Amino acid sequence: MENKLVNIEIDGESIEVEAETSILDAAKKLNKDIPTLCYLEEKNLIGACRICLVEIENSGKLAASCITPVSEGLKIKTNSSRVRRNRKMNLEFLLSNHNIECPSCISNESCELREIAEEFGVREVRFEGKKSSYQIDQSTPSIFRDPEKCILCRRCESVCRDIQSVEAVQVFGRGFETVIKPSFYENLADSPCVLCGQCTLVCPTGALREKEYIEEVWQALDDPEKHVVVQTAPAVRVSLSEAFSGKSGEICTEKMVTALKKLGFDKVFDTNFAADLTIVEEANEFVERINQGGKLPLFTSCSPGWINFIEEYYPEYLDNLSSCKSPQQMFGALAHSYYLDNTEVEEKDLIVVSIMPCTAKKFEAQREEMAGDVDYVLTTRELAQMIKEAGFKFENLEDSNFDQLMGESTGAGAIFGTTGGVMEAALRTAYEKITGKELEEIDINGVRGFDEIKKITVNIDGLEVKAAVAHGLSNARKVFEMIKKGEEFHFIEFMACPGGCLGGGGQPLAADKEVLKNRMEAIYEIDTNKKLRKSHENPYIIKLYKEYLENPGSEIAHKLLHTKYKVRKI
C-alpha cells in the first residue's frame, strides 16, 4: 500500500510529501535549515529544547518541527518574527542555566549550543538567577561528566537506551531540579555504564566527553629519560583528517605518522600489526575449539565496550569469549617484552601510548588482568588536539612510514576497524589453516555493510561454519536471544559501537551514516591496496613466531597474548 501524500506550504513554497512526515523533514526537502539541539535523526525525537519552533498559520500556534507531523493544507512559517523571537528566548533560557566557560571548554569548537547562539546573534542573556550546581564526575578512566554543561537534551539517554540497551543514564527530578545522571547512582563508575562513549558523540555541549590524558603524554614526551612509543589503531587513519579538513573518508596514514614523530614519539608503530597477530591467535583458537570440541560459538574479544557488556549482562557466556587480548593489549605486552629484547631501552624508561577510536580502551588499559601493558590511551580527538597545540598544519605534513619490527601489517589488520572486519580477517586465516589451500575469494562480502546483524555460512573443506556479526549492543542482545532459542553459530563477532571502531566513542564528532560509510570505504580501500591481505602472511608476524613466540597458542603466546575475563560490575 502506497503512503498517502499531502500538500503543504512552507514559507510560501508548495511541496507534496508523505503524510506523517515531520515538518522538520519536509523543510529539509526544500533546503530550509531549521535549527535543532535535542533532535537526533531516528534516535531522539522529543521536542525538548524548543529551538526548532515553527509557526502554524492555520492555527496560529507554535510547534516543535521535529515532532509535529504534516497534514493536508498545512501552512508553515519557519522564519517569522514570532518564530525568531521565541527561538531566541528559549535559547537564552538554556544559556541562563549553563556553565558558560567557552574559551576553556573542551567542546568549544564543536559545541552546538555555542554555534546556535552565534547564529542567533545572542549578545546577552536576559534571564539571571540561580544556576544548577553539580559535582564533576571523573570516577571512570574513560568518560568525563560535567552536569553543569548539560542542557537536558536527553540525546545521551536516548542513545544509551535505544542503541546500546544499557540505560546507564536517565532523567531524574522535575522543574529546576531536573538532572540527567547515572541510573540510581551518583557516579558512572557505580552504574552499569560500559564506557563505550556513544554518549560523548551526541552530547551537544561537552557535558559528556572523554577523560583526557593529553597532559600526561606531553610530560612523558618532554622527559628525556623516557622512551615513548605509540601505536595507532586502524580506524584512526581514516578519521583523523576530519578534525582538520572536515572531509570524511580521507586516508591519512603517512601524515599521521609524521605528526606523531614531530610530536616527539621515539617510535611510531601500527596497531594493525597486532591486529594481524590477534587474528593468527584467534583463528588458531577457533580451529582448536572446532577440532577438540571446545565451547562454541566463539565470541571475538577485541572490543572493550563489548567485554564490559558481557561481563555485566551475560556472564554465563564468558567461556565463549576468545581468550585473546585485544590488538591494543597484545601490542603493549610485546612492547614490554619482544621490543625491549630488541633494543637497549630499560623497562623502567618505557612508556607505551595508544591512539584509539574508543573511550573504553582507556578502561581496558587499566584492567587488573592486563595492567602495565599500555600506559596511556588517547582518542582520535585527543591526538587532533595535540597536533593543534603543537601548531602543525596537518594537511601540509610530508609522508612518513611506520617504524619497523612492529609496524608492518596486512589488509586483514586494517579491516579490524569496521564492523565485520574481524570476522572476515579471521575467516581468511581459519580457512587456510583448516584446508591447507589458498582462499580464492578473499573478499567475504556477506559480513560487510551496516546491517544490524549479518549472518553467513562458509564452507571450509566440508565444514559449514555458521558465523554472525553484530554491532551496537542492542543488537548483541538480539543475538543472545537467537542463541537462547537454539539458533546454531560457530563464530560471532561483537562490536560495542555502531559501525564498529569507525563509529567509536573517541572518534571525531558528527558521525552520521554518510560519514561512517565514507570511513568504511576508506578502510576497505586500504585492504584492497595492500600487497598482503591475510594476517598469517605478514612476514613480521612469521618472524615474531620464529624468533620469540614459537607458534600460535604456545605457552609464551598464552602468557603474553591471552587473558581471562570474569563477572564484574562496571
Side-chain angles (χ1 to χ4, degrees):
M1 180 178 176
E2 293 186 4
N3 292 328
K4 180 183 178 183
L5 298 177
V6 298
N7 295 286
I8 63 171
E9 190 177 285
I10 302 178
D11 296 333
E13 293 185 60
S14 297
I15 185 174
E16 188 177 60
V17 296
E18 291 183 358
E20 301 305 311
T21 300
S22 71
I23 292 174
L24 180 65
D25 287 338
K28 288 179 182 178
K29 295 180 183 296
L30 290 173
N31 295 316
K32 294 184 179 294
D33 185 19
I34 296 176
T36 62
L37 265 178
C38 66
Y39 171 79
L40 274 180
E41 185 177 2
E42 299 179 359
K43 297 176 184 176
N44 199 43
L45 307 173
I46 59 175
C49 69
R50 317 305 285 180
I51 299 298
C52 70
L53 288 177
V54 294
E55 185 175 352
I56 310 296
E57 289 189 61
N58 312 60
S59 64
K61 295 180 179 179
L62 295 175
S65 62
C66 67
I67 57 172
T68 304
V70 298
S71 58
E72 180 65 38
L74 205 63
K75 292 186 177 182
I76 303 151
K77 290 182 179 179
T78 69
N79 192 35
S80 66
S81 60
R82 185 182 175 202
V83 165
R84 292 194 302 273
R85 184 171 63 251
N86 279 274
R87 286 179 184 169
K88 191 170 184 177
M89 181 176 65
N90 289 334
L91 181 60
E92 288 183 78
F93 279 133
L94 290 175
L95 289 167
S96 70
N97 192 36
H98 188 68
N99 185 348
I100 304 175
E101 297 176 341
C102 297
S104 60
C105 178
I106 189 174
S107 295
N108 85 11
E109 288 189 355
S110 58
C111 177
E112 295 176 45
L113 182 64
R114 182 195 62 76
E115 290 175 3
I116 291 179
E118 184 177 324
E119 291 173 1
F120 280 29
V122 175
R123 299 292 178 260
E124 61 178 351
V125 178
R126 293 171 289 168
F127 311 109
E128 296 183 2
K130 180 181 177 183
K131 287 193 174 185
S132 301
S133 178
Y134 301 100
Q135 291 291 319
I136 287 174
D137 180 359
Q138 298 191 70
S139 59
T140 80
S142 297
I143 295 175
F144 177 97
R145 189 175 68 91
D146 185 353
E148 291 186 5
K149 292 181 180 177
C150 178
I151 59 171
L152 303 177
C153 70
R154 299 175 70 166
R155 287 183 181 181
C156 57
E157 180 190 34
S158 168
V159 168
C160 192
R161 179 189 64 239
D162 300 332
I163 304 301
Q164 299 298 68
S165 70
V166 172
E167 299 187 68
V169 291
Q170 294 181 0
V171 173
F172 291 87
R174 299 182 63 183
F176 189 74
E177 303 301 322
T178 304
V179 63
I180 296 178
K181 67 173 188 175
S183 307
F184 307 105
Y185 301 93
E186 289 302 314
N187 297 314
L188 277 176
D190 301 322
S191 79
C193 175
V194 298
L195 306 175
C196 68
Q198 288 299 300
C199 57
T200 72
L201 291 178
V202 299
C203 178
T205 63
L208 288 160
R209 290 300 299 266
E210 72 269 47
K211 191 171 182 180
E212 289 190 331
Y213 295 88
I214 292 175
E215 191 54 40
E216 288 85 345
V217 173
W218 276 128
Q219 290 177 12
L221 291 172
D222 291 339
D223 187 342
E225 300 297 320
K226 297 301 180 184
H227 182 84
V228 189
V229 302
V230 64
Q231 59 169 317
T232 63
V236 176
R237 69 206 65 196
V238 297
S239 60
L240 178 62
S241 63
E242 293 170 25
F244 305 97
S245 70
K247 297 178 182 178
S248 59
E250 292 184 337
I251 302 170
C252 63
T253 311
E254 290 79 12
K255 282 182 170 51
M256 174 186 68
V257 172
T258 300
L260 290 165
K261 290 182 176 181
K262 288 175 72 68
L263 288 173
F265 288 97
D266 294 290
K267 294 290 181 180
V268 181
F269 293 124
D270 194 355
T271 311
N272 292 16
F273 168 86
D276 279 334
L277 181 61
T278 302
I279 284 302
V280 172
E281 287 292 320
E282 195 165 68
N284 179 75
E285 181 181 7
F286 176 62
V287 172
E288 284 187 349
R289 292 198 186 198
I290 289 286
N291 292 337
Q292 299 174 16
K295 191 81 169 180
L296 292 173
L298 177 65
F299 298 160
T300 59
S301 56
C302 58
S303 168
W306 146 247
I307 296 296
N308 294 343
F309 180 79
I310 189 174
E311 287 180 326
E312 180 82 20
Y313 293 100
Y314 294 93
E316 66 271 27
Y317 288 96
L318 284 175
D319 287 342
N320 292 82
L321 270 177
S322 167
S323 64
C324 289
K325 293 181 179 179
S326 72
Q328 168 179 274
Q329 299 303 128
M330 283 195 180
F331 176 91
L334 287 176
H336 286 280
S337 54
Y338 179 61
Y339 177 68
L340 288 180
D341 287 353
N342 283 274
T343 67
E344 296 181 357
V345 178
E346 295 186 27
E347 170 72 30
K348 65 181 179 62
D349 297 325
L350 180 65
I351 299 291
V352 179
V353 177
S354 298
I355 311 297
M356 293 286 142
C358 175
T359 53
K361 286 289 181 186
K362 295 172 182 281
F363 172 80
E364 179 184 58
Q366 296 186 25
R367 293 181 70 112
E368 60 183 356
E369 300 92 341
M370 297 177 283
D373 288 349
V374 175
D375 295 287
Y376 302 111
V377 178
L378 303 179
T379 62
T380 310
R381 295 193 294 262
E382 286 173 275
L383 175 57
Q385 179 60 39
M386 288 186 72
I387 294 171
K388 291 175 182 178
E389 286 182 27
F392 305 148
K393 293 294 183 183
F394 186 76
E395 59 275 16
N396 295 334
L397 293 176
E398 297 179 355
D399 292 347
S400 297
N401 294 319
F402 287 108
D403 289 303
Q404 295 301 304
L405 192 67
M406 295 192 290
E408 288 294 326
S409 62
T410 69
I415 59 176
F416 249 70
T418 181
T419 171
V422 179
M423 178 61 67
E424 181 169 355
L427 288 175
R428 290 178 186 179
T429 291
Y431 180 91
E432 297 196 358
K433 185 174 179 64
I434 291 173
T435 66
K437 303 173 185 176
E438 185 174 349
L439 179 63
E440 295 181 2
E441 293 295 329
I442 197 166
D443 293 336
I444 305 176
N445 294 315
V447 296
R448 296 187 178 189
F450 292 113
D451 289 349
E452 293 181 346
I453 298 171
K454 292 160 281 189
K455 295 188 287 184
I456 63 167
T457 299
V458 180
N459 187 302
I460 303 181
D461 206 24
L463 174 66
E464 295 290 316
V465 174
K466 296 180 179 179
V469 171
H471 58 121
L473 294 174
S474 61
N475 293 321
R477 288 190 188 273
K478 294 175 184 177
V479 172
F480 277 117
E481 289 306 308
M482 295 175 187
I483 294 172
K484 289 178 179 180
K485 290 179 181 178
E487 190 163 351
E488 183 183 8
F489 296 102
H490 297 94
F491 200 1
I492 305 176
E493 176 201 303
F494 290 100
M495 287 285 186
C497 297
C501 301
L502 296 176
Q507 291 281 65
L509 305 179
D512 58 21
K513 290 179 180 177
E514 188 64 25
V515 169
L516 290 179
K517 177 176 175 288
N518 292 339
R519 292 175 184 171
M520 179 180 282
E521 289 175 352
I523 281 282
Y524 285 122
E525 181 181 341
I526 293 173
D527 173 37
T528 300
N529 290 335
K530 283 281 191 177
K531 183 178 180 180
L532 297 175
R533 299 181 63 194
K534 303 165 194 169
S535 295
H536 57 284
E537 294 180 348
N538 183 335
Y540 283 83
I541 295 293
I542 295 171
K543 180 174 183 284
L544 173 65
Y545 279 108
K546 183 178 180 180
E547 296 181 353
Y548 202 75
L549 295 178
E550 299 173 1
N551 53 69
S554 68
E555 183 178 344
I556 187 172
H558 263 278
K559 178 181 178 182
L560 292 174
L561 310 179
H562 292 253
T563 188
K564 190 168 180 63
Y565 301 102
K566 60 187 179 183
V567 181
R568 74 172 69 229
K569 292 294 181 182
I570 305 303

